[in-house]
Amino acid sequence: MPRRWYNVVPALSRAPEKYIDTETGKPITQEYIERLWTKSMAAQEFSLERWISIPQQVLEAYSMWRPTPLIRAVALERYLDTPAQIWFKYEATSPTGSHKLNSALAQAYYAKREGHSRLVTDTGAGQWGSALALACQLYGLDLTVFMVRASYHQKPYRRYLMQTYGATVVPSPGPMTQFGRNTLAVNPNHPGSEATAVTESLETVRADESARMAVGAFSNHCLLHQTMIGLEVREQLAMINSEPDYLVASVGCGSNMAGLVTPFMEDKLNGVDIQMLAVEPDACAPLTRGEYRLDFADAAGKGPGVYTYTLGHDFVPPPIHAGGLRYHGCAPLIGQMRHENIIDAVAYPQTQVFDAGKTFARLQGFLPAPETCHAIRGVIDLANECAEKKRAATIVFSYSGHGLLDLEAYGRYNAGELRDVEVEMFFSELKTKAATV
Amino acid sequence: MPRRWYNVVPALSRAPEKYIDTETGKPITQEYIERLWTKSMAAQEFSLERWISIPQQVLEAYSMWRPTPLIRAVALERYLDTPAQIWFKYEATSPTGSHKLNSALAQAYYAKREGHSRLVTDTGAGQWGSALALACQLYGLDLTVFMVRASYHQKPYRRYLMQTYGATVVPSPGPMTQFGRNTLAVNPNHPGSEATAVTESLETVRADESARMAVGAFSNHCLLHQTMIGLEVREQLAMINSEPDYLVASVGCGSNMAGLVTPFMEDKLNGVDIQMLAVEPDACAPLTRGEYRLDFADAAGKGPGVYTYTLGHDFVPPPIHAGGLRYHGCAPLIGQMRHENIIDAVAYPQTQVFDAGKTFARLQGFLPAPETCHAIRGVIDLANECAEKKRAATIVFSYSGHGLLDLEAYGRYNAGELRDVEVEMFFSELKTKAATV
């Protein structure tokens, strides 16, 4: 198991985009960021060290399930009749079922070490929330989770899981914050979004000196912790004298993608031929449909702003089943790498995505999360391309999480009830609406 | 990974009890059993070979997730302040989330090799059904699953999983069989039980020459396949020069228990001090409350009968959340070992069981199935006993499956809505009812 995280920042050709303070219009201060996050996270966020040592207690916690296996999808290869080798990095063995625990444990550990008593966070479908709930339980911290209201009511399983680990879970928007109360006054049935949950988290942290915010994606430090994925893949491929031709991951905000690809970034920038492919839902696709510009991480525009690919911070994604990918923007580091054409991106409608996931489950046994199904869809198309070109490429993808708590969506897909969003119509309506406001 | 299953029968001091044909009152014939099960399963059922080779294709399928890890529950040990070492064999890494796949793959493989096109089975909460659904998909067999009606409607997630793997799932009792139609005519709201599902499976197999029945527990051959658990534990403990003092498993029918303990049986019978502890729910506890007598595996008394511990084949267990343990009897081999005092048994009410499971999840991260929580409850009491006696014993338990599809029950437990069955009242009412009929 790796004992250091890999920081890609020094390897890139330019410094990451600066976070802008909404109120001053200037880059945020050290004071600003340390009031929001723990000092350690603020330090890691701007670190220029290539390697950052993992604390012993975090290594011990990782050993609950790490290293995770790198598995060859032989049945899928046979089914596709492709000369390509398909490997998946199986992050679903984590106690909470996804890669999210890699960063949750680190953030909770540092918060405890700095003497904080409480963390606050946002969660969509609950992957991140359940990971942080376990981490806070292990290190003895209180946790408040703002969970997107629609998921809170419609997907109670991950809520029960967070509560079993001891977290306080509230729906967003909700009555706990001024922003939540205002939002509900205008629309009592507001379904919430990742962005409303971020806004409420910010407000809550600013009102409680002992609290700090933990983030499940977006920030450089969160992406840093996820490099466990790619670092292990490197070592595992080295053991069989292999190297990747393609690295594929789904992207919501980008922590999963960055975790897989950044440990290979220096190779790529030094000329090794590795294609890095991000796969998005077409209904919420900042990398393929968004713009690279200054935007906010939260819905209210009260948090820091930063340059990245975005659909606009007030974009409310249509209801698709990959809850973890329903975010208007992407992590600034991912945005930068996309902007510089280091990573490629492709988007698919959700029925094609579930079709890929079901095929995978029937062949390999493991039921992938809807988020992971996106990567699988991309991999299947790459493997078919390799079959046409008779190319024995090595494709590696991140199996970011299992789909056991998403079986409702599979049930709907099996029953033929799942529909694709009419993306062109959705986006043109959105533009018309924006123009008339 | 072991390449042979271990058959405990030759090690025992007497031959297993014979199956009795209900109609003739005599031991069942070879013809009878081969019409019910595949020939290979019939052969394994009565085999006197100590070791049975695992076919190469089954070994390859096992390698999807086996060997499973043996993990030391250090945080639980610290929390209990016990000198005992607590180890758990983590069977939840299987693609379908429990130990059931160990036998499902074997049964589907042999059915395919013998030229059958269809398997039929029963399932309670769906652990066994989903394992067999995957196995049938992998080997290209049709599968019909009779699922206990109450679970079919109230717990759709495992149904969706089975359907995703390609199985046909019907509620039991249901309109597909004469037994089902008759039962519904008397009580249209009959909730079903494992026993009604077995009866319907039997009727369906007898009406279709190409079909055979697959069984998720009870039979000797199913217990045989589960010895993968204990065989791996033996090797894993040997690697650290350790031996078990206690082996603990939950028991519904007993395949999980037998899988863990029988590979240690010769040691025990040769005088090594190993306590083998079965843990049951007090609301359905054949080993602690039942009688050792001739009884039937199914509700209608139309299948074979056999001597074992039983609460009576018409016993309808009260609604508790460990669906996999709601069966009136236990496997004849388990019954025999209990009758000869080789294995011990203890029973707990479900709130104590969920309390143990929640404690475990908060300390170790992994959320156990309600079935597995029974084993954990037993282990905690043993570890506390070791603390009192200052005994540095080695306790090993089977973590038979994860509880991710049982989060509804955890949600109810967290909300204080879970009630224990008033066991004494329940059983005395049952006796009164029986006396007045």
Side-chain angles (χ1 to χ4, degrees):
Chain A
M1 199 165 73
R3 305 184 66 84
R4 299 179 303 175
W5 294 302
Y6 173 73
N7 180 16
V8 74
V9 170
L12 298 177
S13 59
R14 63 177 173 93
E17 295 290 347
K18 289 197 163 47
Y19 292 105
I20 305 296
D21 182 338
T22 320
E23 288 181 20
T24 64
K26 291 182 183 162
I28 54 172
T29 61
Q30 194 71 10
E31 194 187 348
Y32 177 108
I33 199 77
E34 290 184 2
R35 182 59 192 80
L36 201 58
W37 296 333
T38 58
K39 281 187 183 177
S40 310
M41 293 305 91
Q44 288 185 2
E45 189 68 17
F46 304 116
S47 171
L48 293 175
E49 297 291 329
R50 262 193 166 71
W51 295 98
I52 295 178
S53 289
I54 305 172
Q56 186 57 31
Q57 281 195 46
V58 176
L59 283 173
E60 279 170 24
Y62 280 166
S63 74
M64 281 196 292
W65 82 102
R66 302 210 74 91
T68 61
L70 179 69
I71 305 175
R72 187 163 168 194
V74 177
L76 180 61
E77 291 173 16
R78 277 186 208 146
Y79 172 81
L80 297 173
D81 195 17
T82 180
Q85 282 193 13
I86 302 174
W87 294 85
F88 59 102
K89 179 64 171 167
Y90 190 62
E91 289 292 301
T93 52
S94 116
T96 59
S98 81
H99 68 291
K100 292 291 186 185
L101 199 55
N102 294 327
S103 186
L105 286 167
Q107 293 187 50
Y109 166 79
Y110 287 113
K112 183 70 181 179
R113 203 183 64 173
E114 291 179 24
H116 297 292
S117 59
R118 181 191 187 194
L119 284 176
V120 178
T121 202
D122 58 285
T123 199
Q127 296 265 24
W128 166 246
S130 43
L132 193 64
L134 172 57
C136 285
Q137 173 63 37
L138 292 175
Y139 293 115
L141 290 162
D142 288 338
L143 173 64
T144 303
V145 181
F146 289 94
M147 184 174 190
V148 175
R149 178 173 281 272
S151 299
Y152 181 92
H153 290 295
Q154 288 158 24
K155 299 180 176 178
Y157 274 41
R158 282 220 178 80
R159 167 158 59 93
Y160 297 146
L161 184 57
M162 290 184 262
Q163 289 164 337
T164 298
Y165 289 138
T168 301
V169 188
V170 293
S172 172
M176 240 178 92
T177 66
Q178 192 59 48
F179 174 83
R181 289 188 292 273
N182 292 350
T183 307
L184 288 176
V186 175
N187 178 4
N189 298 316
H190 196 295
S193 69
E194 289 271 4
T196 67
V198 173
T199 302
E200 291 200 278
S201 301
L202 284 167
E203 187 182 326
T204 305
V205 167
R206 283 170 179 161
D208 176 2
E209 174 50 42
S210 71
R212 288 295 180 275
M213 195 172 167
V215 286
F218 203 85
S219 63
N220 300 346
H221 64 264
C222 183
L223 272 52
L224 170 78
H225 305 146
Q226 294 299 347
T227 57
M228 291 302 286
I229 304 171
L231 291 170
E232 286 182 5
V233 168
R234 276 188 81 93
E235 288 190 36
Q236 287 165 323
L237 287 178
M239 279 191 245
I240 53 165
N241 287 317
S242 180
E243 287 177 352
D245 296 296
Y246 297 94
L247 294 170
V248 185
S250 63
V251 170
C253 203
S255 75
N256 167 46
M257 174 84 184
L260 175 67
V261 308
T262 58
F264 293 90
M265 194 54 73
E266 288 184 49
D267 294 342
K268 182 172 170 92
L269 297 175
N270 284 323
V272 177
D273 183 17
I274 307 176
Q275 194 189 338
M276 298 171 172
L277 182 64
V279 190
E280 306 184 301
D282 68 354
C284 187
L287 292 177
T288 49
R289 282 187 171 268
E291 292 173 338
Y292 191 65
R293 62 176 169 87
L294 184 68
D295 197 15
F296 303 101
D298 70 313
K302 290 191 172 176
V306 69
Y307 255 82
T308 190
Y309 275 91
T310 178
L311 296 160
H313 64 277
D314 54 355
F315 175 79
V316 178
I320 54 161
H321 278 281
L325 309 185
R326 290 182 70 239
Y327 186 68
H328 66 274
C330 63
L333 268 182
I334 291 285
Q336 179 177 342
M337 291 189 283
R338 173 73 189 122
H339 191 59
E340 294 179 2
N341 281 314
I342 300 172
I343 63 176
D344 300 314
V346 63
Y348 292 99
Q350 70 176 347
T351 55
Q352 287 186 32
V353 163
F354 274 90
D355 180 64
K358 186 169 178 170
T359 300
F360 186 88
R362 286 181 169 212
L363 292 163
Q364 300 290 146
F366 299 103
L367 187 89
E371 292 81 4
T372 305
C373 293
H374 284 76
I376 296 172
R377 174 77 267 166
V379 165
I380 289 177
D381 284 0
L382 284 178
N384 284 333
E385 208 179 288
C386 288
E388 276 171 34
K389 294 181 183 165
K390 296 188 170 38
R391 183 178 177 208
T394 298
I395 304 171
V396 179
F397 74 94
S398 172
Y399 190 108
S400 51
H402 65 64
L404 294 169
L405 301 186
D406 305 283
L407 272 163
E408 179 84 39
Y410 277 94
R412 294 191 59 200
Y413 175 71
N414 291 337
E417 290 167 14
L418 216 60
R419 296 275 172 273
D420 286 330
V421 177
E422 296 284 347
V423 174
E424 297 310 326
M425 198 182 297
F426 179 82
F427 280 92
S428 75
E429 271 174 19
L430 214 65
K431 273 180 192 159
T432 314
K433 200 171 143 202
T436 55
V437 166
Chain B
M1 197 165 72
R3 305 183 67 82
R4 302 180 301 177
W5 293 301
Y6 173 74
N7 180 15
V8 75
V9 170
L12 297 177
S13 59
R14 64 178 172 93
E17 296 290 349
K18 288 195 160 48
Y19 292 105
I20 306 296
D21 183 338
T22 319
E23 289 181 19
T24 64
K26 289 181 184 162
I28 54 171
T29 62
Q30 194 71 12
E31 195 189 347
Y32 177 108
I33 199 77
E34 290 184 2
R35 182 60 192 81
L36 202 59
W37 296 334
T38 59
K39 281 186 184 178
S40 310
M41 292 305 91
Q44 288 185 2
E45 189 69 16
F46 304 116
S47 172
L48 294 175
E49 298 289 332
R50 263 194 166 72
W51 294 98
I52 295 179
S53 290
I54 305 172
Q56 186 57 33
Q57 282 194 45
V58 176
L59 282 174
E60 280 171 22
Y62 279 166
S63 74
M64 280 196 289
W65 81 101
R66 300 210 73 90
T68 61
L70 180 68
I71 305 174
R72 186 164 169 194
V74 177
L76 181 61
E77 290 173 16
R78 276 186 209 146
Y79 172 79
L80 298 174
D81 194 15
T82 179
Q85 282 193 13
I86 302 174
W87 294 85
F88 60 102
K89 180 64 171 166
Y90 190 63
E91 289 292 300
T93 52
S94 119
T96 60
S98 81
H99 68 293
K100 292 290 186 187
L101 199 55
N102 294 327
S103 188
L105 286 166
Q107 294 187 49
Y109 166 79
Y110 287 114
K112 183 68 180 180
R113 202 183 64 174
E114 290 179 28
H116 297 291
S117 60
R118 180 192 189 194
L119 284 176
V120 179
T121 202
D122 59 283
T123 199
Q127 296 264 24
W128 167 246
S130 44
L132 193 64
L134 173 57
C136 285
Q137 173 62 36
L138 292 175
Y139 292 115
L141 290 162
D142 287 337
L143 172 64
T144 303
V145 182
F146 289 95
M147 185 173 188
V148 175
R149 179 174 282 271
S151 299
Y152 181 92
H153 291 296
Q154 288 158 22
K155 299 180 177 179
Y157 274 41
R158 282 220 178 80
R159 167 157 59 93
Y160 297 146
L161 184 57
M162 291 184 259
Q163 289 165 336
T164 299
Y165 288 138
T168 302
V169 188
V170 293
S172 172
M176 243 180 91
T177 67
Q178 194 59 50
F179 174 83
R181 289 188 292 273
N182 292 350
T183 306
L184 287 177
V186 175
N187 178 6
N189 298 317
H190 196 295
S193 69
E194 289 272 1
T196 67
V198 173
T199 301
E200 291 201 279
S201 301
L202 283 167
E203 186 182 327
T204 305
V205 167
R206 283 169 178 160
D208 177 1
E209 175 49 44
S210 72
R212 288 295 180 273
M213 192 171 167
V215 285
F218 204 86
S219 65
N220 300 346
H221 63 264
C222 183
L223 272 50
L224 171 79
H225 305 145
Q226 295 298 348
T227 57
M228 292 302 286
I229 303 171
L231 292 169
E232 287 181 4
V233 168
R234 274 188 81 94
E235 289 189 38
Q236 288 165 323
L237 286 179
M239 279 191 248
I240 52 165
N241 288 317
S242 180
E243 288 177 351
D245 297 296
Y246 296 95
L247 295 170
V248 184
S250 63
V251 169
C253 204
S255 75
N256 166 47
M257 174 86 186
L260 176 66
V261 308
T262 59
F264 293 90
M265 194 54 72
E266 289 183 48
D267 295 342
K268 182 174 172 90
L269 296 176
N270 285 322
V272 178
D273 182 18
I274 307 177
Q275 193 188 339
M276 298 171 173
L277 181 65
V279 190
E280 308 184 300
D282 68 353
C284 187
L287 291 177
T288 47
R289 280 186 171 268
E291 292 174 337
Y292 191 64
R293 64 176 168 86
L294 184 68
D295 197 15
F296 305 100
D298 69 313
K302 289 191 173 177
V306 69
Y307 256 83
T308 190
Y309 275 91
T310 179
L311 296 161
H313 65 277
D314 54 355
F315 174 79
V316 179
I320 53 160
H321 278 280
L325 309 184
R326 290 182 69 239
Y327 186 67
H328 65 274
C330 62
L333 268 182
I334 290 286
Q336 179 176 341
M337 291 188 285
R338 172 74 188 123
H339 191 59
E340 295 181 1
N341 282 315
I342 300 171
I343 61 176
D344 300 314
V346 62
Y348 292 100
Q350 69 177 348
T351 54
Q352 286 185 31
V353 162
F354 273 91
D355 180 64
K358 185 169 177 171
T359 299
F360 186 89
R362 287 182 168 210
L363 292 164
Q364 299 289 146
F366 298 104
L367 187 88
E371 292 81 3
T372 304
C373 294
H374 284 76
I376 296 171
R377 174 77 267 166
V379 165
I380 288 176
D381 284 0
L382 284 178
N384 283 333
E385 209 179 288
C386 288
E388 276 170 35
K389 294 181 183 165
K390 297 190 170 33
R391 184 177 175 207
T394 298
I395 304 172
V396 179
F397 74 95
S398 172
Y399 190 107
S400 52
H402 65 63
L404 293 169
L405 301 186
D406 304 283
L407 273 163
E408 180 83 39
Y410 277 94
R412 293 190 60 202
Y413 175 71
N414 291 337
E417 290 167 15
L418 217 61
R419 294 275 172 272
D420 286 328
V421 177
E422 295 285 346
V423 175
E424 296 311 327
M425 198 182 296
F426 180 81
F427 280 92
S428 75
E429 271 174 18
L430 214 66
K431 274 181 193 161
T432 314
K433 201 172 144 201
T436 54
V437 166

